[in-house]
Amino acid sequence: MISAFDRTFKLGVLLSMIDWLTFNIVFLLSYYLEWFPRLDWSTHFTAYFVAANVAYIIALQIVSLTLHHRWSIPAKVLSNTSRTSLMFIVLYTSFIGVFTDAEVPGILSSLFLGTAIFLVTSAERLFLRARIRYKRSVSQNSVKAVIVGTGVMAQKITNIMTNSWNGYNLIGYFAESKNDPLIYSISQENVIYLGKMSDIIDYLEKNNVDELYISTVPSDKEELKAIMKLCYKNMIRVYYVPSPAYGEFSKAKVKEFGDIYVISQYDEPLRDVRNRIKKRIFDVIVSLMFLCTLFPIILIVVYIVSKITMPGPLFFKQKRTGYDGRDFWCYKFRSMKVNKDSDTLQAIKNDPRITKWGALMRHTNIDELPQFINVLKGDMSIVGPRPHMLAHTDYYSELISDYMVRHYVKPGITGWAQTHGERGETKTVEDMRRRVEKDIWYIEHWNFWLDIQIIMKTVSDAIHGDDKAY
């Protein structure tokens, strides 16, 4: 019987072949349609073709194809596609220049080919990803899994595995008692109780299982050794689930530490120097372009209307909590009447402090535009968790244990939480807790294309308006 791992491997090979064929179609079209007329295709076609294929195959090895990964999101697919296209162009032009006597394509030709490959392969990959998710939703290419133990983390695993898109077949769970109150939420997901801990070995010997997730380690060490031995024998992959006693791991990462391994509480892509440089370059370029082109026009309009409609300064500045918990001055166009509560009370719906002009600016996000100055200074980024006033930081950091994690990165003008329903007033601690969860999700899943996705969603919200923008 073919295991789930073999099926996944074969799927990965098939997807790689389809991706490679798609690339060749784009490359051959560039030849037959003569997209690069200055190149001597007739004499050097073989050199161009071989160099291109070798370069693309190597690029695919460097930047893995993630379509078959069970949790691969569109932003990840697009990010990998862009990296593959860029890597291909570098390798392709290098191979032609070093190993052949053919004319090396110019910058514009290379960029054109790279863009064509990116657009076509992006469409192909997103289509295939959608098909894979659909197939797994109808129980094809699924992984048979069993959970050992109960509790909060076991429930989180259950929620993931019972999501049909992820392609898991959760057979059931083992626990010391079927009446354990911690398993009620699991039982509501129609997950079968398979027996006590002592029944695990007998079950694994008689049934086909692909993965075993241990949330509660059996107290008998000899019993655990026997379970592990049986899993090794039957090619069952074993995963240990971190105990919530050590804190809730959302996207923990195993790191090599000398000759041992440790688990980080959170994964932080922006700790990578290359990622930080990439994000900072993007911030500087975009903020400079905006501040030197559109901002002066917006500034004049806002200045004239603000002076006509409300007395007081044009800008509002407030100390807020930024990167690494440090305070900074955050700039905005003033949208409220001058008041003594601005540093302690957040805006609420129908807030009497907000003027009609201020409400319009808030509804369209115009009031936030001066924060591009903060971005240029390095206090903020274009995308990141929204910075909160100091009073809120003091208050919520005492009530929400991982509240300060959102300051692992620079705050942003817009963010994942704001574009996914968590903008505006936080009436309860639970409202803030949901916002913090989304902020931490962004920190752990950051990539360049995710930032682009958030920016596009922000622009769309600004055009159509946001009911929570008050």
Side-chain angles (χ1 to χ4, degrees):
M1 184 175 182
I2 300 176
S3 70
F5 310 101
D6 289 334
R7 292 196 300 270
T8 300
F9 170 74
K10 291 182 178 180
L11 178 62
V13 172
L14 176 62
L15 293 173
S16 298
M17 292 178 64
I18 294 174
D19 197 76
W20 175 72
L21 287 172
T22 303
F23 158 77
N24 274 283
I25 290 172
V26 175
F27 189 85
L28 291 174
L29 279 175
S30 70
Y31 166 63
Y32 285 110
L33 299 179
E34 296 184 344
W35 286 347
F36 312 130
R38 289 184 297 174
L39 297 181
D40 188 0
W41 285 101
S42 58
T43 305
H44 299 292
F45 172 76
T46 302
Y48 289 133
F49 185 74
V50 173
N53 274 272
V54 172
Y56 195 71
I57 291 172
I58 293 175
L60 281 179
Q61 305 309 309
I62 297 174
V63 184
S64 61
L65 199 66
T66 60
L67 305 183
H68 56 295
H69 295 179
R70 297 184 182 275
W71 306 280
S72 187
I73 59 176
K76 178 68 173 177
V77 173
L78 291 175
S79 173
N80 280 13
T81 306
S82 65
R83 291 165 59 200
T84 302
S85 302
L86 180 61
M87 185 65 65
F88 160 74
I89 290 299
V90 173
L91 293 172
Y92 173 55
T93 54
S94 299
F95 289 165
I96 291 176
V98 174
F99 299 110
T100 75
D101 58 353
E103 177 187 355
V104 178
I107 295 176
L108 289 179
S109 296
S110 297
L111 287 176
F112 184 88
L113 179 59
T115 302
I117 291 171
F118 169 73
L119 293 176
V120 176
T121 54
S122 291
E124 167 250 322
R125 290 181 179 187
L126 290 175
F127 172 77
L128 290 175
R129 177 60 189 161
R131 291 296 302 167
I132 292 167
R133 292 190 65 179
Y134 170 74
K135 290 291 185 181
R136 285 173 174 164
S137 72
V138 293
S139 299
Q140 294 184 23
N141 189 236
S142 61
V143 173
K144 295 180 180 179
V146 168
I147 296 175
V148 177
T150 59
V152 176
M153 301 304 285
Q155 175 58 36
K156 288 182 177 293
I157 293 174
T158 301
N159 293 337
I160 294 170
M161 289 186 177
T162 51
N163 181 341
S164 58
W165 286 114
N166 290 330
Y168 279 90
N169 176 12
L170 180 54
I171 300 171
Y173 68 98
F174 289 92
E176 282 304 326
S177 172
K178 188 175 182 178
N179 298 320
D180 187 338
L182 292 178
I183 67 172
Y184 287 159
S185 55
I186 293 180
S187 300
Q188 291 171 4
E189 298 285 352
N190 297 319
V191 181
I192 300 172
Y193 174 72
L194 300 175
K196 296 182 178 180
M197 297 292 191
S198 56
D199 300 323
I200 296 175
I201 294 177
D202 183 61
Y203 183 87
L204 295 179
E205 286 178 335
K206 297 178 180 177
N207 295 274
N208 181 33
V209 176
D210 295 315
E211 295 180 353
L212 186 72
Y213 289 78
I214 301 179
S215 177
T216 303
V217 179
S219 55
D220 188 338
K221 291 184 178 180
E222 293 303 318
E223 182 181 3
L224 177 60
K225 288 181 179 179
I227 293 173
M228 296 304 298
K229 183 178 181 180
L230 183 61
C231 288
Y232 297 150
K233 179 181 178 182
N234 294 335
M235 297 290 114
I236 300 172
R237 267 65 174 183
V238 179
Y239 299 92
Y240 293 98
V241 182
S243 169
Y246 303 110
E248 188 171 316
F249 293 80
S250 52
K251 195 185 176 193
K253 186 174 182 179
V254 176
K255 298 176 64 177
E256 192 171 351
F257 190 76
D259 58 351
I260 65 171
Y261 291 90
V262 296
I263 300 177
S264 63
Q265 190 81 15
Y266 300 96
D267 186 18
E268 300 174 60
L270 284 173
R271 289 199 70 179
D272 188 312
V273 174
R274 295 169 298 179
N275 289 338
R276 294 184 67 173
I277 291 174
K278 187 190 307 182
K279 187 173 176 67
R280 181 58 184 156
I281 290 174
F282 178 78
D283 285 342
V284 170
I285 291 175
V286 173
S287 58
L288 270 176
M289 290 176 60
F290 175 75
L291 291 172
C292 294
T293 54
L294 296 177
F295 186 72
I297 301 172
I298 296 172
L299 178 63
I300 293 172
V301 173
V302 172
Y303 175 80
I304 294 173
V305 179
S306 294
K307 288 302 179 183
I308 294 174
T309 58
M310 56 183 177
L314 174 65
F315 292 102
F316 170 74
K317 70 173 188 175
Q318 183 182 67
K319 273 199 171 183
R320 297 196 176 186
T321 309
Y323 174 65
D324 217 18
R326 297 192 292 266
D327 302 342
F328 73 100
W329 287 105
C330 180
Y331 301 105
K332 297 179 67 174
F333 285 129
R334 188 169 57 85
S335 58
M336 290 184 176
K337 302 170 186 176
V338 177
N339 65 93
K340 58 181 176 57
D341 298 322
S342 58
D343 289 335
T344 54
L345 296 179
Q346 63 179 262
I348 61 175
K349 193 170 185 178
N350 300 320
D351 197 316
R353 297 174 296 168
I354 301 175
T355 66
K356 290 183 178 180
W357 168 237
L360 177 62
M361 286 197 292
R362 284 175 170 267
H363 193 65
T364 56
N365 293 314
I366 291 175
D367 64 317
E368 309 284 359
L369 296 181
Q371 287 164 32
F372 278 97
I373 299 172
N374 288 116
V375 173
L376 195 60
K377 290 174 60 181
D379 296 326
M380 294 178 63
S381 180
I382 294 175
V383 180
R386 285 293 296 152
H388 293 162
M389 62 180 71
L390 303 187
H392 277 182
T393 299
D394 293 339
Y395 177 72
Y396 287 111
S397 60
E398 294 294 325
L399 300 175
I400 302 174
S401 60
D402 50 1
Y403 176 86
M404 292 303 291
V405 173
R406 65 195 306 275
H407 302 104
Y408 281 3
V409 299
K410 289 181 182 179
I413 298 175
T414 184
W416 179 258
Q418 283 63 44
T419 56
H420 287 76
E422 302 303 331
R423 185 180 174 181
E425 180 186 6
T426 49
K427 297 180 181 179
T428 65
V429 174
E430 190 57 38
D431 289 339
M432 182 60 78
R433 195 185 306 278
R434 288 198 305 273
R435 179 180 294 183
V436 170
E437 286 177 355
K438 286 185 169 61
D439 287 337
I440 294 175
W441 186 94
Y442 168 78
I443 290 171
E444 295 194 303
H445 293 82
W446 179 89
N447 65 68
F448 179 76
W449 286 105
L450 181 61
D451 276 3
I452 299 298
Q453 178 184 331
I454 293 170
I455 291 171
M456 293 175 65
K457 181 68 164 60
T458 302
V459 173
S460 175
D461 291 344
I463 294 173
H464 296 96
D466 189 336
D467 293 337
K468 289 189 176 183
Y470 50 79

